Amino acid sequence: MYNKPRLTLAIVDDHPMILEGLKSLLQQDNQFQIFSFTKGSAILDFIQENQVDVVLLDIVLNDGSGLDFCKSIKQKLPKTIVIGISNQAERSIIFRFLENGGNGYILKNANPKEITDCINKAINGDLALSKEVQEIMLRASSDNFELPRLTKREQQILSAIADGHTSIEIGEKLFISVITVETHRRNLLQKFKAKNMIELVKIAAENKLI
């Protein structure tokens, strides 16, 4: 089907099941030579020595934020296609990823065909957004505060912040790295449009989230 040389595609996600699922899906298409990484720093090291055509990048990683890794990848390799693939469904986070040079954004609940269609759209030069992401982006911005959707982990971290725990304490309690906790903290500030942790806790308390 493809006469062109195979494209190099890198998947960056710290959940082995997601990595294996995406690899299994994309290996059915002979278009790609696939590499997988569990850390953002590993893909940055890899692109120092290797040309990568497409990167599928999670937003919350153990060693930092995919928003920042996207920016770094695009600075080093401007022509590399970087697509966010995440559970983070907030407009502010999607916008920031695209502002940092992202070529598309897919929610992890997208079906396999939608994922492959989005990747091919990006390869063809189009902005690649999964259906639900398109709906989120098209929603009219409202001055009224819209409560963000929180993952179970974000809810745990928000509660721990409200209880006054430090990032080190939260990391030990939830068995995750301090960097992961800090990434969640930054994402929570972004989601709630809060300037600092005090304002974040105040908004969450007012809306009975804690």
Side-chain angles (χ1 to χ4, degrees):
M1 186 178 170
Y2 294 95
N3 298 319
K4 295 182 286 187
R6 289 206 297 168
L7 299 174
T8 302
L9 181 142
I11 307 167
V12 189
D13 197 300
D14 54 13
H15 294 88
M17 262 178 59
I18 301 286
L19 270 183
E20 289 308 312
L22 286 169
K23 272 169 71 176
S24 172
L25 169 67
L26 297 169
Q27 275 166 348
Q28 295 170 25
D29 186 340
N30 246 351
Q31 184 183 8
F32 303 115
Q33 181 183 13
I34 299 169
F35 296 87
S36 59
F37 305 92
T38 55
K39 292 182 182 292
S41 54
I43 184 65
L44 294 185
D45 290 343
F46 187 76
I47 64 174
Q48 300 280 13
E49 304 287 334
N50 302 277
Q51 176 64 41
V52 179
D53 300 298
V54 182
V55 179
L56 298 184
L57 181 63
D58 194 8
I59 302 302
V60 178
L61 293 160
N62 280 329
D63 62 338
S65 168
L67 300 172
D68 300 328
F69 289 126
C70 174
K71 198 171 190 176
S72 299
I73 293 166
K74 294 299 274 193
Q75 283 169 347
K76 288 186 172 70
L77 295 175
K79 291 183 179 174
T80 294
I81 293 163
V82 184
I83 302 171
I85 184 153
S86 177
N87 289 320
Q88 304 289 320
E90 270 56 48
R91 281 175 99 241
S92 56
I93 288 176
I94 298 166
F95 267 122
R96 201 167 140 215
F97 186 83
L98 298 176
E99 280 170 4
N100 286 359
N103 302 87
Y105 200 100
I106 303 168
L107 290 182
K108 285 181 179 176
N109 61 3
N111 65 49
K113 184 179 185 303
E114 199 174 2
I115 292 170
T116 54
D117 284 352
C118 280
I119 294 168
N120 285 317
K121 269 183 84 171
I123 290 167
N124 291 327
D126 296 325
L127 182 63
L129 304 175
S130 63
K131 188 167 177 283
E132 193 177 338
V133 172
Q134 289 176 38
E135 290 165 3
I136 292 164
M137 300 296 274
L138 288 170
R139 270 181 221 149
S141 281
S142 161
D143 290 331
N144 299 326
F145 179 70
E146 185 185 337
L147 275 181
R149 289 194 317 195
L150 299 183
T151 63
K152 186 181 172 187
R153 179 68 84 205
E154 285 169 340
Q155 184 66 58
Q156 290 171 329
I157 287 171
L158 180 59
S159 298
I161 291 167
D163 289 340
H165 293 297
T166 65
S167 291
I168 292 170
E169 289 167 344
I170 296 169
E172 286 172 354
K173 183 181 172 189
L174 299 178
F175 304 104
I176 55 177
S177 72
V178 174
I179 294 171
T180 301
V181 177
E182 291 295 332
T183 300
H184 279 299
R185 277 178 179 266
R186 282 200 302 276
N187 285 341
L188 284 166
L189 287 175
Q190 185 93 19
K191 282 186 173 189
F192 282 90
K193 300 182 176 65
K195 296 183 189 70
N196 52 45
M197 288 297 150
I198 294 166
E199 189 179 350
L200 170 68
V201 171
K202 182 171 174 280
I203 295 167
E206 284 171 355
N207 288 282
K208 298 182 171 56
L209 291 176
I210 47 176

